[in-house]
Amino acid sequence: MKPLLIGSEIYRKSTYGPKHPLAIPRVSTALDLIQALGWVEPGGIIESPMASEAELSRFHTPDYIAALRAAEVEQAVPEAVRMRHHIGAHGNPVYHEIFSRPATSAGGVLLASRLTLDGGVVHVPGGGTHHGQRDRASGFCYVNDAVLGLLSWLDQGLTNVLYLDIDAHHGDGVQDAFHDDPRVFTLSIHEAARWPFTGGLEDRAGGHARNIPVPSGLNDTEMRWLLHHAVLPLIERLKPEAIMLQCGADALEEDPLAKLSLSNNAHWGVVRAVRDMAPRLIVLGGGGYNPWSVGRCWAGVWGVLNGFPAPERLPPPAEAVMRALVFNRAAGRNPPEHWFTTLRDAPREGPVRLEIRHLAEATLEGLPEPAPGMA
Ligand SMILES: [Zn+2]
């Protein structure tokens, strides 16, 4: 069965405001690149529906959903709403599509969960808002589309699901949502001592969570070590019926917010490795605040899911997509030529620090032993 791609035009012009890290086009860049590479047939991108208020209320409180809807209409929020729901506060601005964009992301992930019920692979680069809380916005996330998609899998009868998060930030909203539900196991690899400052090594939530807080400068070799000594063995032991992979691109070296040093080869390696580890896979986007890095990373994720090799040099239509980007941060003033002309970063290999080996070992503590005969 061929992988499916879900997108929406809502992301193209949508911005959190000129000074916000999410001023940049990300999903539209990735989708434009995918199309320019000829990696999807014309009309082959499935339009993401908007989740209904009833669907959103499977996780979020009705008064919070109503507040988001009102904020989109009014383009302002009363002080009480700011305080209570963190809308228009803490990095979560009131913006033009403040309800309809997150509702579209959620609708896309919900659709993905339905499309994979009998198996399959779906990529939803607009999803991955892993910080969203039940009754408030958090970390640029208003609705938690990952939680809603996981709940939808459970509501359809699945009982053993893995949520894997390789964003630079801890997937706190998802872990919290399933604290008391052992049907969902959460595994988050993220930069230590970075916002939201949760997800320490000892944090196992209800016992069905693991956290791998990595030191700054994490390189491709270290990520591969964690993949082979923690992530894949964990999957072999849990044998999940479905995997949801949050593929935040802010763990890449060129991201302006985090301090990890991965190349996009690291993300693609994770995607390739987990691709066939469960009968159902949904791959989400997530963070990522350099438009070239995000676009190249997520377009390449789709390539890996399909088995398309990354071209040595981008064909002219794809290069034109990259050259049209504008980025008003320091890194955008003098973008290196390879951001325009290549899809694949130069690998960023390096030594595997002792700390990384310890983190991998600790991750597997307390998990069921692998069945005899398994690698
Ligand atoms: Zn992030």
Side-chain angles (χ1 to χ4, degrees):
M1 214 158 28
K2 281 167 80 171
L4 303 173
L5 180 59
I6 295 179
S8 169
E9 277 300 305
I10 198 168
Y11 302 103
R12 186 175 300 279
K13 291 270 156 49
S14 174
T15 166
Y16 280 34
K19 291 199 163 60
H20 195 281
L22 285 179
I24 53 169
R26 308 178 323 138
V27 178
S28 56
T29 301
L31 296 179
D32 288 352
L33 208 43
I34 287 167
Q35 288 174 298
L37 284 161
W39 280 359
V40 65
E41 283 160 27
I45 300 176
I46 299 169
E47 181 66 27
S48 176
M50 244 174 75
S52 67
E53 291 189 31
E55 287 172 320
L56 295 174
S57 67
R58 178 68 181 84
F59 175 59
H60 296 283
T61 60
D63 59 337
Y64 174 51
I65 297 166
L68 281 176
R69 214 186 234 303
E72 179 155 316
V73 174
E74 303 293 333
Q75 288 298 300
V77 286
E79 179 63 14
V81 167
R82 239 174 66 92
M83 301 286 287
R84 183 165 176 206
H85 299 301
H86 295 188
I87 301 172
H90 308 295
N92 313 305
V94 175
Y95 71 100
H96 191 260
E97 304 87 3
I98 185 171
F99 174 80
S100 46
R101 173 170 160 175
T104 300
S105 306
V109 183
L110 287 169
L111 177 60
S113 76
R114 294 192 293 272
L115 290 171
T116 49
L117 185 58
D118 296 323
V121 175
V122 184
H123 187 198
V124 195
T129 51
H130 59 166
H131 299 304
Q133 302 286 329
R134 196 177 297 274
D135 61 352
R136 63 184 159 83
S138 180
F140 316 160
C141 305
Y142 299 81
V143 157
N144 199 315
D145 53 57
V147 167
L148 288 163
L150 291 163
L151 285 170
S152 169
W153 265 342
L154 300 183
D155 291 346
Q156 294 175 89
L158 301 191
T159 57
N160 179 13
V161 174
L162 174 68
Y163 172 78
L164 171 60
D165 188 321
I166 59 170
D167 190 283
H169 301 91
H170 177 220
D172 59 341
V174 184
Q175 180 182 307
D176 292 350
F178 295 102
H179 185 280
D180 299 318
D181 192 339
R183 292 176 295 176
V184 176
F185 195 104
T186 62
L187 172 59
S188 177
I189 301 176
H190 47 266
E191 188 179 347
R194 176 163 298 285
W195 188 93
F197 306 109
T198 49
L201 180 62
E202 307 300 323
D203 177 6
R204 293 182 171 182
H208 46 273
R210 291 291 185 277
N211 284 291
I212 307 183
V214 295
S216 62
L218 183 77
N219 62 52
D220 289 359
T221 322
E222 290 176 323
M223 188 61 164
R224 204 161 50 243
W225 181 277
L226 292 173
L227 176 66
H228 288 285
H229 294 87
V231 177
L232 297 180
L234 182 142
I235 297 174
E236 279 164 3
R237 294 182 193 201
L238 296 178
K239 300 182 186 62
E241 300 163 288
I243 298 173
M244 181 179 284
L245 170 60
Q246 198 268 22
C247 229
D250 47 8
L252 301 182
E253 163 77 15
E254 287 133 351
D255 190 84
L257 262 59
K259 293 277 178 287
L260 303 180
S261 298
L262 300 178
S263 78
N264 54 23
N265 296 282
H267 277 49
W268 300 349
V270 173
V271 172
R272 193 176 293 113
V274 306
R275 166 78 171 78
D276 297 311
M277 294 289 286
R280 301 165 187 84
L281 175 68
I282 296 177
V283 181
L284 308 177
Y289 306 97
N290 172 328
W292 288 281
S293 291
V294 180
R296 292 162 73 244
C297 180
W298 292 352
V301 165
W302 174 248
V304 169
L305 290 174
N306 285 275
F308 301 140
E312 277 303 308
R313 194 194 159 97
L314 288 177
E319 184 176 334
V321 170
M322 302 318 283
R323 291 205 184 271
L325 287 171
V326 176
F327 187 40
N328 294 320
R329 282 188 174 240
R333 279 181 217 124
N334 257 318
E337 188 67 7
H338 69 265
W339 288 1
F340 302 136
T341 57
T342 67
L343 195 70
R344 179 189 294 280
D345 292 329
R348 295 195 176 86
E349 307 291 346
V352 177
R353 286 167 280 182
L354 194 58
E355 193 176 348
I356 298 293
R357 295 166 199 255
H358 287 157
L359 286 167
E361 279 169 29
T363 302
L364 298 177
E365 281 167 13
L367 289 173
E369 288 300 318
M374 289 202 66

